[in-house]
Amino acid sequence: MKQIKINLGCGNQAIEGWINVDYAFGARLVKLPLFRTINRKLKLFNLNWSKEIFIHDLRKKFPWKDNSIDVIYSSHTLEHLSKKEGGFFLQECHRVLKEGGLIRIIVPDLKVLVLRYINGEVSADEFIDALGVSYESEEDNQIKKFLVKFIKFPHRCMYDTDSLLKIMKNIGFGASGKKSFESKISDIQKIELPERTKNAVIIEGEKCSS
């Protein structure tokens, strides 16, 4: 039987053989033919998004049944949710995952950023930028500055390996820290991007039997 695998917070990376899920402004707009036509003329946004992306707000209940998913992959998404939203997200992952199903979560490593600041590699103002908690960017034009809260999702919670492991184990996952591409997911080479694993926390685990 074919495995059901979901890629939560896929961005514009739609992987064949996976259900690629996102709620970004670009992913929603690209499904509107009229907007695509207007955007080509005015060049408001870079809409390099697949029309095959499944649209869902990951802060809300997942649209999949209990114990129905074989594999969950999520890279650089959890940190864009608040602590409460992130907890709900992981609870939903646990609910829909089959017993023994795999989950792999990747987030920026707060410990790496803090050590770089303590060691003087990053100044105070650069540290705030490195945390990714701001909507502002000097490169944005006036239109993007007006729409910034719709098209940008700053970091709202940060993790290190110990903190994320504790949360996931409390939910009911048997989990451990992993290295880039160190995984039980058969097609990890297709979905994992090397640059997204640098200075990152990588946790992989299974849904334990109840």
Side-chain angles (χ1 to χ4, degrees):
M1 183 180 295
K2 184 178 179 180
Q3 286 191 325
I4 301 176
K5 301 178 289 185
I6 54 177
N7 178 15
L8 302 178
C10 65
N12 59 6
Q13 182 194 16
I15 304 301
E16 184 179 354
W18 291 71
I19 299 172
N20 300 285
V21 186
D22 211 290
Y23 195 64
F25 201 51
R28 285 177 278 165
L29 289 179
V30 79
K31 292 183 179 290
L32 305 176
L34 179 59
F35 184 85
R36 292 201 304 271
T37 301
I38 294 173
N39 191 64
R40 276 197 298 269
K41 293 181 179 180
L42 299 181
K43 298 181 180 179
L44 298 173
F45 302 100
N46 176 17
L47 292 184
N48 185 27
W49 292 82
S50 169
K51 290 184 286 185
E52 303 304 315
I53 290 173
F54 183 84
I55 304 299
H56 181 71
D57 186 344
L58 295 172
R59 297 169 297 182
K60 299 180 179 179
K61 184 176 180 178
F62 293 176
W64 301 284
K65 295 179 181 179
D66 295 3
N67 308 304
S68 62
I69 304 298
D70 295 283
V71 182
I72 294 175
Y73 184 90
S74 184
S75 176
H76 290 266
T77 295
L78 183 63
E79 71 273 15
H80 295 282
L81 307 177
S82 69
K83 183 178 180 179
K84 182 177 179 180
E85 291 168 347
F88 177 77
F89 170 91
L90 291 172
Q91 289 279 3
E92 280 294 281
C93 288
H94 188 269
R95 177 183 67 81
V96 303
L97 201 63
K98 293 178 180 179
E99 190 173 298
L102 298 173
I103 182 169
R104 187 173 176 90
I105 304 289
I106 301 177
V107 294
D109 191 342
L110 177 61
K111 185 174 290 187
V112 170
L113 295 174
V114 171
L115 287 174
R116 290 183 65 198
Y117 169 67
I118 291 174
N119 292 333
E121 299 173 33
V122 176
S123 64
D125 57 328
E126 290 173 335
F127 179 66
I128 296 301
D129 290 337
L131 287 175
V133 296
S134 176
Y135 283 105
E136 298 178 3
S137 173
E138 295 179 357
E139 299 175 358
D140 289 344
N141 58 35
Q142 290 302 314
I143 294 176
K144 286 188 177 181
K145 287 180 180 178
F146 177 74
L147 296 173
V148 67
K149 291 191 176 182
F150 298 100
I151 62 177
K152 286 191 177 181
F153 298 90
H155 296 170
R156 300 187 64 198
C157 193
M158 299 293 286
Y159 305 87
D160 60 16
T161 297
D162 291 341
S163 65
L164 187 52
L165 270 177
K166 181 179 179 181
I167 293 168
M168 293 184 68
K169 287 181 177 179
N170 286 341
I171 288 172
F173 293 111
S176 60
K178 297 293 183 182
K179 297 178 181 178
S180 178
F181 299 106
E182 179 190 3
S183 176
K184 291 183 179 180
I185 299 173
S186 60
D187 56 350
I188 191 67
Q189 299 288 340
K190 286 174 57 177
I191 196 167
E192 192 143 286
L193 300 175
E195 63 270 22
R196 304 283 276 176
T197 63
K198 186 178 180 181
N199 297 328
V201 172
I202 305 174
I203 305 295
E204 183 169 304
E206 301 178 4
K207 180 176 178 178
C208 300
S209 57
S210 54

